[in-house]
């Protein structure tokens, strides 16, 4: 089943898909009138549709049925990941979206090697959001996770203030994740570092603001491995990988 996202809520029997999605349906997938596709809307609903008209620029569908999308985790995981060299963050965003993160926020810490200027960062954010869009479609998510603008590490405490639990993963040790994430936790902010890890002053700053310091085990994971391991563990502990 072809899987796409609508920008608006669907409140009528008919809906028009336009832009890149319409081009993908008509040119790349070569779909035809009468074929079925799924549209997910921002309210977390899944709509089963039938194509009734198709052109290069517009695909018009009839809504056959609508239901709540069951693909979304019941815990909102917000991932804060330090900037990395090269295209490493591309893979992190793709895999994190597949695993079910709610949003991704890149940040700059003291040991970040990559420090793009404003123009480069704008291009990177556009690319990362496109990666998130494609990963959400491929993994049949109910919503497209947002990739937020880059922030500085001292801004993180304010950004994670509303989460039920905020956790930073420190290569020098901390509490086991299973002792931090409780069964009733519905929102988690997870923070992972750059290639050089965190400075102690950064961990102290986060800890003083209420962020819990956790470990991902006795082995030192690469910067691009740690966030995927953290999200996977959180999904497992909250019953979202069953």
């Amino acid at each position: 089943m072809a899987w796409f996202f609508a920008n608006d809520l669907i409140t009528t029997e008919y809906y028009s898909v336009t832009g890149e999605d319409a081009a993908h349906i008509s040119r790349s997938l070569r779909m035809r009138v009468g074929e079925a596709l799924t549209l997910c809307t921002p309210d977390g609903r899944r709509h089963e549709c039938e194509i009734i008209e198709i052109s290069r620029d517009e695909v018009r569908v009839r809504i056959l049925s609508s239901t709540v999308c069951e693909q979304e985790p019941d815990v909102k995981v917000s991932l804060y990941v330090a900037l990395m060299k090269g295209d490493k963050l591309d893979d992190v965003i793709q895999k994190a979206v597949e695993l079910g993160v709610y949003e991704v926020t890149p940040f700059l810490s003291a040991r970040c090697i990559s420090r793009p200027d404003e123009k480069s960062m704008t291009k990177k954010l556009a690319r990362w959001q496109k990666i998130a869009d494609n990963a959400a479609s491929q993994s049949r998510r109910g919503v497209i996770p947002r990739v937020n603008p880059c922030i500085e590490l001292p801004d993180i405490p304010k950004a994670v203030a509303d989460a039920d639990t905020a956790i930073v993963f420190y290569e020098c040790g901390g509490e086991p994740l299973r002792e931090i994430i409780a069964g009733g936790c519905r929102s988690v902010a997870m923070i992972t570092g750059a290639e050089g890890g965190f400075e102690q002053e950064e961990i102290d700053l986060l800890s003083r603001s209420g962020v819990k310091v956790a470990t991902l085990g006795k082995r030192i994971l690469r910067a691009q491995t740690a966030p995927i391991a953290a999200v996977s563990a959180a999904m497992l502990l909250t019953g979202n990988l069953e």
Side-chain angles (χ1 to χ4, degrees):
M1 175 74 71
W3 196 277
F4 295 91
F5 295 91
N7 295 324
D8 311 303
L9 302 183
I10 296 177
T11 58
T12 63
E13 186 181 356
Y14 300 96
Y15 187 83
S16 291
V17 181
T18 57
E20 291 184 9
D21 284 345
H24 185 62
I25 291 169
S26 61
R27 301 177 201 174
S28 301
L29 298 180
R30 298 181 180 276
M31 297 183 73
R32 296 290 182 262
V33 170
E35 292 192 75
L37 61 80
T38 298
L39 285 175
C40 290
T41 46
D43 57 354
R45 295 188 67 79
R46 166 181 173 172
H47 308 269
E48 304 305 332
C49 311
E50 177 189 14
I51 297 175
I52 57 173
E53 295 178 25
I54 191 165
S55 68
R56 294 168 63 91
D57 303 313
E58 181 181 7
V59 176
R60 190 158 175 77
V61 301
R62 177 186 291 114
I63 312 303
L64 302 178
S65 64
S66 301
T67 186
V68 175
C69 187
E70 297 180 349
Q71 277 83 341
E72 285 304 295
D74 61 7
V75 59
K76 288 186 175 180
V77 176
S78 297
L79 178 63
Y80 293 77
V81 56
L83 290 182
M84 306 173 198
K85 293 186 297 183
D87 59 0
K88 293 177 182 177
L89 202 53
D90 293 14
D91 289 337
V92 171
I93 291 170
Q94 181 189 66
K95 304 309 177 189
V97 169
E98 291 177 16
L99 286 166
V101 294
Y102 176 71
E103 62 182 348
V104 180
T105 304
F107 69 89
L108 277 168
S109 63
R111 296 182 182 177
C112 283
I113 298 171
S114 175
R115 294 181 177 273
D117 58 26
E118 183 177 351
K119 183 177 180 180
S120 296
M121 180 57 71
T122 299
K123 291 181 178 179
K124 286 179 179 290
L125 283 172
R127 186 177 78 249
W128 291 334
Q129 188 60 64
K130 185 65 175 178
I131 289 171
D133 292 357
N134 292 336
S137 180
Q138 181 275 322
S139 58
R140 299 192 172 185
R141 293 285 303 272
V143 297
I144 299 175
R146 175 176 167 78
V147 181
N148 296 313
C150 186
I151 62 176
E152 303 277 346
L153 184 139
D155 297 324
I156 290 179
K158 182 178 179 180
V160 304
D162 292 336
D164 290 345
T165 304
I167 306 165
V168 59
F169 294 92
Y170 190 30
E171 65 274 11
C172 294
E175 296 180 65
L177 188 59
R178 64 178 178 274
E179 296 181 7
I180 299 176
I181 295 184
C185 183
R186 287 295 168 258
S187 60
V188 183
M190 313 186 87
I191 307 159
T192 63
E195 287 91 346
F198 289 104
E199 293 190 347
Q200 184 62 52
E201 291 80 4
E202 294 175 321
I203 295 297
D204 292 343
L205 183 153
L206 294 172
S207 181
R208 286 195 301 271
S209 69
V211 177
K212 297 183 181 298
V213 182
T215 177
L216 283 169
K218 298 179 180 180
R219 294 165 297 283
I220 301 297
L221 303 181
R222 292 181 183 272
Q224 65 267 40
T225 306
I228 303 308
V231 173
S232 299
M235 291 298 173
L236 183 62
L237 289 170
T238 56
N240 285 286
L241 275 183
E242 296 179 348

